Amino acid sequence: SAVISQKPSRDICQRGTSLTIQCQVDSQVTMMFWYRQQPGQSLTLIATANQGSEATYESGFVIDKFPISRPNLTFSTLTVSNMSPEDSSIYLCSVEGTGPAEQFFGPGTRLTVL
Amino acid sequence: KNQVEQSPQSLIILEGKNCTLQCNYTVSPFSNLRWYKQDTGRGPVSLTIMTFSENTKSNGRYTATLDADTKQSSLHITASQLSDSASYICVVSRAFNDYKLSFGAGTTVTVRA
């Protein structure tokens, strides 16, 4: 299994500001994923990030709001831009595993926007 | 409408007791179903995986069942421990390499001494 770390683990931010979340993996992986987990709701895929190409965003998520970088095979960042209280959530990164439809998840970043 | 529905939303049980969590899905086609455990402040960790041809799978005190005909799965926790307190998430995929997974909202289990 992959070991994934995320920074920061939590943050409280002011409306209108931006926060960049880092995701570091202990092994090289092709695909990395970013999810949002709102209270009481299921995980929602924001985008898929492959090294060397632009991220692929899911319906309802746009690059201007959630820019993603993937500079190498072990690292990715997700920026939450121009934040509003509705962006308060847990953001998780994950990587593909070797089993069928398997993913390993990071510990998440708990974001609160005031 | 979410294609993976879990019940109950939450439950409280006494240490040592058993409990069963339910997952109903409408995802089609169906490839496999996983149950994940998510401790507070951590990411989800896979407990079991079942394909359409499997009816039951165990991982220690956790036993998952699958009825692909009725599109229902359950996760049974035997002799619960305080460390079982977590959210349990049912996740369904359409294909072996499908990375667009369908997640349930989870069942929050609280085990009390």
Side-chain angles (χ1 to χ4, degrees):
Chain A
S1 64
V3 178
I4 304 169
S5 60
Q6 288 186 231
K7 290 182 181 180
S9 58
R10 58 177 61 224
D11 208 343
I12 300 174
C13 302
Q14 295 297 319
R15 180 196 301 259
T17 63
S18 298
L19 176 72
T20 295
I21 302 168
Q22 300 179 5
C23 178
Q24 180 75 52
V25 190
D26 69 342
S27 58
Q28 294 184 338
V29 294
T30 302
M31 300 180 75
M32 295 181 75
F33 310 96
W34 286 98
Y35 288 87
R36 183 174 70 185
Q37 186 178 29
Q38 295 180 309
Q41 298 186 27
S42 55
L43 275 75
T44 302
L45 181 63
I46 296 172
T48 302
N50 290 337
Q51 194 268 336
S53 63
E54 286 193 8
T56 302
Y57 289 83
E58 297 301 305
S59 175
F61 298 96
V62 294
I63 187 172
D64 290 345
K65 176 67 176 178
F66 297 101
I68 288 172
S69 77
R70 182 77 200 275
N72 57 54
L73 291 174
T74 64
F75 187 79
S76 178
T77 67
L78 169 76
T79 299
V80 186
S81 303
N82 188 25
M83 290 183 287
S84 66
E86 291 71 34
D87 294 320
S88 297
S89 185
I90 298 174
Y91 292 86
L92 299 112
C93 68
S94 75
V95 303
E96 56 179 343
T98 55
E102 183 178 39
Q103 292 186 21
F104 298 112
F105 291 86
T109 295
R110 183 179 293 273
L111 170 63
T112 302
V113 184
L114 302 177
Chain B
K1 187 180 188 315
N2 196 356
Q3 293 186 300
V4 181
E5 298 287 346
Q6 292 187 240
S7 62
Q9 186 174 28
S10 63
L11 64 92
I12 300 172
I13 58 173
L14 293 177
E15 188 176 16
K17 299 297 184 181
N18 305 334
C19 67
T20 300
L21 317 180
Q22 300 291 342
C23 173
N24 296 336
Y25 63 92
T26 58
V27 176
S28 182
F30 171 82
S31 175
N32 63 77
L33 183 149
R34 287 181 185 266
W35 282 92
Y36 281 82
K37 179 186 180 187
Q38 185 176 20
D39 293 309
T40 301
R42 296 183 179 272
V45 175
S46 180
L47 289 174
T48 64
I49 176 175
M50 289 179 294
T51 63
F52 66 90
S53 61
E54 296 176 294
N55 298 119
T56 186
K57 184 72 70 73
S58 292
N59 178 0
R61 293 179 298 100
Y62 300 103
T63 299
T65 66
L66 173 66
D67 186 334
D69 291 330
T70 62
K71 299 187 175 181
Q72 295 179 325
S73 177
S74 66
L75 181 69
H76 186 74
I77 305 175
T78 303
S80 61
Q81 300 176 359
L82 296 178
S83 59
D84 293 330
S85 296
S87 178
Y88 293 84
I89 303 172
C90 177
V91 183
V92 180
S93 67
R94 291 178 174 80
F96 184 91
N97 294 321
D98 185 14
Y99 63 85
K100 292 193 178 183
L101 308 175
S102 296
F103 293 83
T107 293
T108 300
V109 175
T110 302
V111 181
R112 292 192 173 158

